[in-house]
Amino acid sequence: MSKKEAAKKGIMICGHGSRDKDAEREFGLVAKGLKARFPNLPVEYGFLEFSAPNIHMGLDSLVNQGVEEIYAVPGMLFAATHAKNDIPSVLTTYEEKHPGLKVTYGRELGLQDDMIEAFQARIYESLGLDPENPPENIYDTLLVVVGRGTSDTSANAEAAKLTRIVNENMGFGWADTVYSGVTYPSVGVGLEKLMKLGFKRIVVAPYFLFTGRLIKRIQGYVDKVAQDHPEVTFVQTPYLNDHPRVIDAFQNRVEEIMQGELPTGEETLMNSFKRRLAAGEVDVHHHHAEFVDPQDDTQGLSVFDLKHAVISMGEVPNINVLKNHTHDHGHGHSHDHSHSHSHSHSHSHSHGHAHDHSHGHSHGVYKHIGHPMGPRTMIGEGICCCFMGQFTPEILEEEKDKIDGDCTKTAFAHR
């Protein structure tokens, strides 16, 4: 028997993480479901940040069980920054530190038939319909799919593609996509625009795996719009969670690795990461489990970004408030350089608000951050200061009447 055949295999599911303990628990249910599909293999999971176990801890557990070959899959619906950069960074760093260990990184869940059918089943269930015996059409109902919304155009496009597929499959009267993240249209303003179509029943279906702040924010917006439009029935579809077809989709991704069936003729997520890393096109944070991603609106801002946002509004920042707004997951940057954020450019911000720090942190910003139907519509409407570090001073000036300077307050959608 060859060494490769003798190597003990294990499965690692890599998630993002959440401050919401229910989200952690639900992610664990997926791992439990996948373990039932692979009873002879150790299955572990871990998160990039906020939650325990982190990815390193999950990998450590596999290694301690004697695993020499790890099948790692991203617990992500679409391939955006976390699946493309952050997870492969953690995996490659870990592999380099453990000679003899082989880690193969699979694909995001994507629009597999299993994922689409799980989503449709959740929608049917929320309408009180049998997914196994659905009606021919639901022409009297509007479907609103809520995507995560990122600075990655392709990931946003996948959510819109999903909406079209589900609409064609289920036969809604109309369907559209809104987003809870940094793109547009945002949930609240998107729903308000869609109200003009005149539907008396609207299904709001979040395409999310688990609960968390974004789910609760979405529910808050739907409740707000529903209060303003009592003549309309709003149906809120549950998120995917550990639906059996979701477990099927995870199983498919693991089996692709096991059977050597990762797509040929196109770059894998890991190959793409390594190519871009070698070309200097990606900034790697090997301490990501303690790192606050400035593009992720679920995380809030570092003291630097928050202070910069307040200064941009022409106000003197309260340092104690700023410190209180930082996170308890440990934002310690153990770099070899000083972290004083000395900038190599002026802060005129005539266009993008990219924090091009002299020490290499490139805080890229979504180029349409100022869109009139985007995140700026959430200032004072159910989000605290989560986006402030991405807005230009011009936008903050235009929206100053809606800005509450105290970022320690909890917006209604976060309560």
Side-chain angles (χ1 to χ4, degrees), residues 7 9 77 116 120 134-135 148 151 161 174 178 195 200 219 221 238 241 250 277 280 338 343 360 397 400:
K9 316 295 197 298
L77 294 170
I116 293 169
Q120 292 175 172
R148 167 64 178 83
S151 57
K161 180 179 178 180
W174 195 261
V178 298
M195 294 298 299
K200 298 304 180 184
Q219 293 169 343
Y221 277 117
N241 207 346
F250 271 101
L277 179 64
S338 112
H343 290 60
E397 175 64 26
K400 64 182 179 182

Side-chain angles (χ1 to χ4, degrees), residues 205-220:
Y207 192 61
F208 283 70
L209 280 173
F210 311 111
T211 190
R213 286 191 168 194
L214 295 185
I215 286 291
K216 292 170 183 177
R217 182 193 301 169
I218 292 164
Q219 293 169 343

Side-chain angles (χ1 to χ4, degrees), residues 156-220:
N156 295 336
E158 288 294 292
K161 180 179 178 180
L162 169 71
T163 302
R164 184 68 194 189
I165 292 172
V166 171
N167 186 27
E168 295 252 6
N169 288 348
M170 300 181 68
F172 283 93
W174 195 261
D176 211 336
T177 313
V178 298
Y179 301 88
S180 66
V182 300
T183 190
Y184 63 90
S186 60
V187 179
V189 70
L191 285 174
E192 288 290 355
K193 297 290 185 182
L194 291 169
M195 294 298 299
K196 297 178 181 180
L197 294 174
F199 284 90
K200 298 304 180 184
R201 185 168 68 166
I202 299 176
V203 176
V204 181
Y207 192 61
F208 283 70
L209 280 173
F210 311 111
T211 190
R213 286 191 168 194
L214 295 185
I215 286 291
K216 292 170 183 177
R217 182 193 301 169
I218 292 164
Q219 293 169 343

Side-chain angles (χ1 to χ4, degrees), residues 56-173:
H56 286 86
M57 294 164 67
L59 294 170
D60 282 343
S61 179
L62 290 174
V63 170
N64 290 338
Q65 296 174 64
V67 169
E68 299 171 273
E69 186 171 348
I70 295 175
Y71 308 132
V73 292
M76 311 282 178
L77 294 170
F78 302 124
T81 302
H82 296 309
K84 290 180 177 178
N85 295 348
D86 301 326
I87 294 174
S89 169
V90 174
L91 295 177
T92 53
T93 302
Y94 191 90
E95 187 178 36
E96 289 167 0
K97 293 180 178 179
H98 293 78
L101 179 67
K102 179 181 179 182
V103 180
T104 306
Y105 185 46
R107 291 197 287 169
E108 76 283 0
L109 292 169
L111 293 182
Q112 300 181 61
D113 289 345
D114 288 316
M115 294 301 298
I116 293 169
E117 290 180 20
F119 189 48
Q120 292 175 172
R122 292 294 191 214
I123 295 171
Y124 280 130
E125 291 164 3
S126 69
L127 289 167
L129 300 172
D130 181 4
E132 301 301 320
N133 188 31
E136 183 176 341
N137 63 70
I138 321 175
Y139 290 161
D140 64 342
T141 304
L142 167 67
L143 171 66
V144 182
V145 173
V146 185
R148 167 64 178 83
T150 77
S151 57
D152 189 290
T153 302
S154 296
N156 295 336
E158 288 294 292
K161 180 179 178 180
L162 169 71
T163 302
R164 184 68 194 189
I165 292 172
V166 171
N167 186 27
E168 295 252 6
N169 288 348
M170 300 181 68
F172 283 93

Side-chain angles (χ1 to χ4, degrees), residues 33-58:
L34 199 57
K35 175 64 178 175
R37 305 293 177 88
F38 298 96
N40 298 321
L41 296 181
V43 178
E44 298 291 344
Y45 66 96
F47 304 101
L48 280 169
E49 51 204 343
F50 303 132
S51 306
N54 63 29
I55 293 176
H56 286 86
M57 294 164 67

Side-chain angles (χ1 to χ4, degrees), residues 3 8 17 30 70 129 137 174 224 334 342 349 400 412:
K3 183 177 180 180
K8 185 175 180 180
V30 167
I70 295 175
L129 300 172
N137 63 70
W174 195 261
K224 182 176 184 297
S334 57
S342 59
H349 293 279
K400 64 182 179 182
F412 78 88

